[in-house]
Amino acid sequence: MTEFTVYDETDAPEAARPHLEAARKRMGFVTTLNGVMAESPELLAGYNALSELFGRSSLPRNAKHVVWITASVLNGCAYCVAAHSTLALRSRVPAEVVEALRGGRALDDPALEAVRVFTGAMVEQRGWVDDAQVEAFLAAGYTRRHVLDIVLGIGMKTLSNYTNHIAHTPLDPAWKDQEWTAPAPA
């Protein structure tokens, strides 16, 4: 297995250090994900920029958590499922919603279920959703902008999910209570 270093602000490549310092200010600690991404300051900067932009996107707060968790579950990223489950619960997303997302189950809330279904289709079909799937999402009360905001959220999660797969990123203690194991591939 290829070993990846988990950097912090003191030993990271110089160009990554400001991003790690900003992460510490934002989160209270430098996540191991950010520490691994610091090997490529451009990846770290890109991921953090996408995260900030997705946070400002037009999707409702709970819908953003649905995108993050759904994409991470479908990509089998244990690190991101644990992290985003923790963050969702801290943001007062109902526990039953988080548990359903972690298990890949339907949500009782029709608006959030539409986000889950559309995000899932986008991830599983690698963006090749058909017009009927887009129209069903729009019929649930969303807009074309929301469609594209989901693309942004999936892009953000793809960067972190793939990084975690390659680097076997160790789980931060802050996410331990929501540890998740990906189901075995079929």
Side-chain angles (χ1 to χ4, degrees):
M1 178 173 83
T2 304
E3 295 285 328
F4 283 81
T5 301
V6 179
Y7 293 99
D8 64 26
E9 311 91 315
T10 65
D11 62 357
E14 194 64 40
R17 290 179 185 187
H19 299 288
L20 296 178
E21 290 166 5
R24 183 174 300 281
K25 287 179 185 167
R26 185 176 60 253
M27 297 285 295
F29 66 101
V30 174
T31 66
T32 53
L33 171 62
N34 275 204
V36 167
M37 285 182 165
E39 184 80 34
S40 168
E42 295 78 14
L43 173 62
L44 178 59
Y47 177 75
N48 287 336
L50 290 179
S51 178
E52 181 182 328
L53 291 168
F54 187 63
R56 294 192 325 238
S57 75
S58 67
L59 286 168
R61 179 183 51 86
N62 285 3
K64 291 172 188 165
H65 290 288
V66 171
V67 172
W68 286 323
I69 297 172
T70 300
S72 297
V73 165
L74 291 173
N75 283 326
C77 184
Y79 180 97
C80 285
V81 172
H84 287 292
S85 296
T86 301
L87 295 171
L89 292 167
R90 287 181 187 168
S91 294
R92 294 188 168 77
V93 174
E96 59 272 11
V97 169
V98 173
E99 281 308 308
L101 291 169
R102 290 165 57 94
R105 296 185 306 276
L107 303 176
D108 291 335
D109 180 317
L112 293 180
E113 175 63 2
V115 173
R116 186 191 73 81
V117 168
F118 188 73
T119 300
M122 287 288 294
V123 171
E124 290 176 327
Q125 295 166 223
R126 289 178 259 158
W128 291 104
V129 295
D130 60 35
D131 288 344
Q133 290 169 301
V134 174
E135 291 301 324
F137 181 68
L138 297 174
Y142 292 99
T143 67
R144 291 183 304 278
R145 179 177 176 180
H146 291 127
V147 169
L148 298 176
D149 285 345
I150 288 176
V151 171
L152 174 62
I154 292 169
M156 174 199 160
K157 282 296 86 195
T158 301
L159 293 176
S160 60
N161 294 168
Y162 287 13
T163 297
N164 291 324
H165 294 334
I166 293 167
H168 307 282
T169 308
L171 192 62
D172 293 287
W175 318 140
K176 266 305 204 197
D177 287 348
Q178 291 300 315
E179 194 166 359
W180 181 82
T181 303

